[in-house]
Amino acid sequence: LEQIALVAEVEELRANPNRSATGIVIESRMDKGRGPVATLLVQDGTIEIGQSVVVGTVPGRVRSLINDKGERVKSAGPSVPVEIQGLQEVPLAGDRFDVVSDDQAAENIASERKQRAMSNGATGKASLEDIFAKLKAADTKELAIVLKSDVAGSSEAIKGMFEKVGNTEVKPKIIHAAVGGINESDVLLAGTAKAIVVGFNVRPDSGATTAAKRLGVEIKTYTIVYELMDDMKKILSGMLQPDIVEKDLGKAEVRNIFNVPKAGTIAGSFVTEGKITRNADIRLVRDGKIVLTGKLSSLKRFKDDAKEVAQGYECGIGIENFNDLKIGDIIEAFSRESISRELT
């Protein structure tokens, strides 16, 4: 603090308390009793009750000012944090606020900022066409999320954490984020966009719960951010393509060829390694080259069907849709296993 004061003195950093106030939004939320509430830090000028103000893209008129001690005040000057009421919507944390001459000026400036944000693609709201276009354009699998939180700061923090989760295959995608409880509109949007609804320190109302059951939309609520992130990682891990691992089962050498009516060509074989199982995948190797990868159509010991034949035993092997077997061919049996992957 001493260093900041010294720098301010040396650099002659001063604020003008007599001009129209301007500053930054520290936090914002939707209060059930008071409506949209924002905590502002006045950086220059003085803000007073009754003044028109534009906060980011949200216009309003200051109805009340509450200082950091919870006391109602009539005005707040430079470097003073103050909570205000009277905004039409909940602004975003980090938005700039400016006191303007009247309500019409506030509406005009807010409208211009909204249009500018839309042209730059920075608006927090998106049409369904935009949402679907983004989902289809992505090469990676995306977990679509409708995010609701108690305050704007929580929403921004969660967004920042989501940006660090995922990889080139899967990632979370917030299609809509807002402050306030989970309502039916959130669920309808999630149902249309095939998203899940995530709430942090908020709960769904009865309309949202009913709509979620009707549409099959999952609503997940949290009060601890680390539990939220752990769950998101688990969900994203489930979206990862599993690794397919081949496991060698055994080998058999073709020692004789039989043409059986209706059954096709059967290879009289001798199991040289491991075992040959009825449901195994097989590779046919001839002169060191893979001729075919396929499935067995039959496996017999003498005239009886067999589930498996172990090393050192003879058997008859038929291959699905393949009759070009030759003496000396090697039949390799293997299985494919899916191994789930975890997001790191």
Side-chain angles (χ1 to χ4, degrees):
L1 183 59
E2 289 175 355
Q3 207 156 8
I4 292 172
L6 176 61
V7 171
E9 185 176 348
V10 172
E11 301 255 344
E12 295 185 353
L13 301 178
R14 298 288 184 268
N16 177 12
N18 299 319
R19 58 156 289 175
S20 298
T22 183
I24 203 83
V25 179
I26 300 174
E27 188 58 279
S28 61
R29 69 182 189 278
M30 177 64 74
D31 189 288
K32 285 187 178 180
R34 298 187 293 165
V37 175
T39 302
L40 311 178
L41 177 62
V42 182
Q43 294 177 318
D44 205 4
T46 300
I47 187 170
E48 300 176 357
I49 292 177
Q51 289 182 325
S52 298
V53 64
V54 56
V55 185
T57 58
V58 180
R61 178 187 283 266
V62 181
R63 291 207 310 262
S64 73
L65 294 171
I66 300 175
N67 66 15
D68 57 319
K69 298 177 182 178
E71 302 168 340
R72 289 185 176 272
V73 294
K74 293 183 179 180
S75 64
S79 299
V80 176
V82 66
E83 189 177 82
I84 74 165
Q85 289 176 248
L87 301 175
Q88 294 182 9
E89 300 174 24
V90 177
L92 298 176
D95 277 352
R96 175 189 172 87
F97 81 86
D98 296 279
V99 170
V100 294
S101 57
D102 53 42
D103 291 347
Q104 187 60 51
E107 292 282 354
N108 292 340
I109 293 172
S111 178
E112 288 177 10
R113 287 182 178 177
K114 284 180 181 178
Q115 290 178 1
R116 196 180 307 124
M118 290 178 68
S119 64
N120 293 334
T123 179
K125 296 181 180 179
S127 66
L128 290 179
E129 289 80 3
D130 292 336
I131 292 169
F132 287 129
K134 289 177 182 177
L135 291 176
K136 288 178 181 177
D139 293 329
T140 57
K141 290 183 181 179
E142 293 181 338
L143 173 63
I145 297 170
V146 174
L147 176 64
K148 298 300 289 287
S149 61
D150 55 341
V151 294
S154 298
S155 179
E156 293 301 315
I158 292 169
K159 285 181 185 177
M161 296 178 79
F162 276 172
E163 289 176 1
K164 299 176 182 178
V165 177
N167 56 25
T168 55
E169 294 181 61
V170 295
K171 66 179 181 180
K173 178 72 173 179
I174 297 177
I175 61 172
H176 176 65
V179 173
I182 300 168
N183 55 43
E184 187 175 357
S185 297
D186 300 321
V187 175
L188 293 176
L189 174 59
T192 305
K194 296 181 180 179
I196 65 171
V197 179
V198 174
F200 185 74
N201 280 336
V202 294
R203 299 290 301 172
D205 59 25
S206 58
T209 304
T210 302
K213 289 180 180 178
R214 185 178 74 250
L215 299 174
V217 172
E218 186 172 10
I219 298 177
K220 301 180 77 65
T221 59
Y222 304 88
T223 57
I224 300 174
V225 70
Y226 299 108
E227 291 182 357
L228 185 160
M229 296 311 298
D230 286 344
D231 265 13
M232 292 303 105
K233 286 180 180 178
K234 290 177 183 176
I235 294 171
L236 290 169
S237 294
M239 294 170 64
L240 286 171
Q241 196 74 21
D243 285 330
I244 305 299
V245 177
E246 289 188 2
K247 182 180 179 182
D248 292 332
L249 299 176
K251 294 181 181 179
E253 180 185 348
V254 178
R255 296 188 171 178
N256 211 338
I257 302 296
F258 304 96
N259 292 313
V260 179
K262 296 183 180 180
T265 303
I266 301 297
S269 308
F270 181 80
V271 181
T272 57
E273 294 180 24
K275 61 183 178 181
I276 307 295
T277 59
R278 176 67 182 82
N279 296 320
D281 294 303
I282 63 97
R283 277 187 294 265
L284 184 67
V285 180
R286 182 177 299 161
D287 299 327
K289 297 180 181 179
I290 298 174
V291 177
L292 172 77
T293 300
K295 299 281 290 184
L296 297 182
S297 62
S298 64
L299 179 65
K300 293 180 179 290
R301 277 278 295 153
F302 301 106
K303 294 184 179 181
D304 299 325
D305 289 328
K307 289 184 178 180
E308 63 178 50
V309 179
Q311 179 179 345
Y313 290 90
E314 294 180 339
C315 59
I317 296 175
I319 299 177
E320 287 184 357
N321 304 317
F322 188 79
N323 293 315
D324 185 24
L325 289 159
K326 296 183 178 179
I327 295 173
D329 286 350
I330 302 297
I331 297 173
E332 298 179 349
F334 64 94
S335 63
R336 292 188 175 98
E337 295 181 2
S338 295
I339 298 179
S340 300
R341 297 162 58 198
E342 290 188 7
L343 197 66
T344 55

